[in-house]
Amino acid sequence: MQVDLPKEEADSLEVRAAMQGVPTEKLLSYHVLKSYRGVLHPEVQAFEHGDMLGQPGTKK
């Protein structure tokens, strides 16, 4: 799948992903699932609860 974003938005997404310690594709997938399926989707819930984040103290 290809997503066309304005350069500023794409750069911002890459920075946010790096800050959260996740691949850009994973952060983009989170946003797409949240928009399409809603906040109750299991993968959205896992991401929001830190199960997929690369930050210290989170579950992996």
Side-chain angles (χ1 to χ4, degrees):
M1 177 182 296
Q2 183 177 353
V3 178
D4 293 321
L5 296 172
K7 179 159 178 35
E8 289 181 11
E9 298 299 327
D11 291 346
S12 175
L13 186 65
E14 287 181 349
V15 169
R16 288 181 58 199
M19 289 174 57
Q20 293 183 20
V22 295
T24 304
E25 294 80 9
K26 192 59 137 175
L27 183 61
L28 185 57
S29 296
Y30 157 74
H31 284 294
V32 170
L33 278 174
K34 185 175 179 181
S35 294
Y36 183 63
R37 295 291 184 183
V39 296
L40 297 180
H41 189 279
E43 288 187 39
V44 172
Q45 292 272 311
F47 190 93
E48 290 183 349
H49 289 100
D51 295 345
M52 296 181 180
L53 301 179
Q55 299 173 356
T58 60
K59 300 176 191 173
K60 285 195 171 189

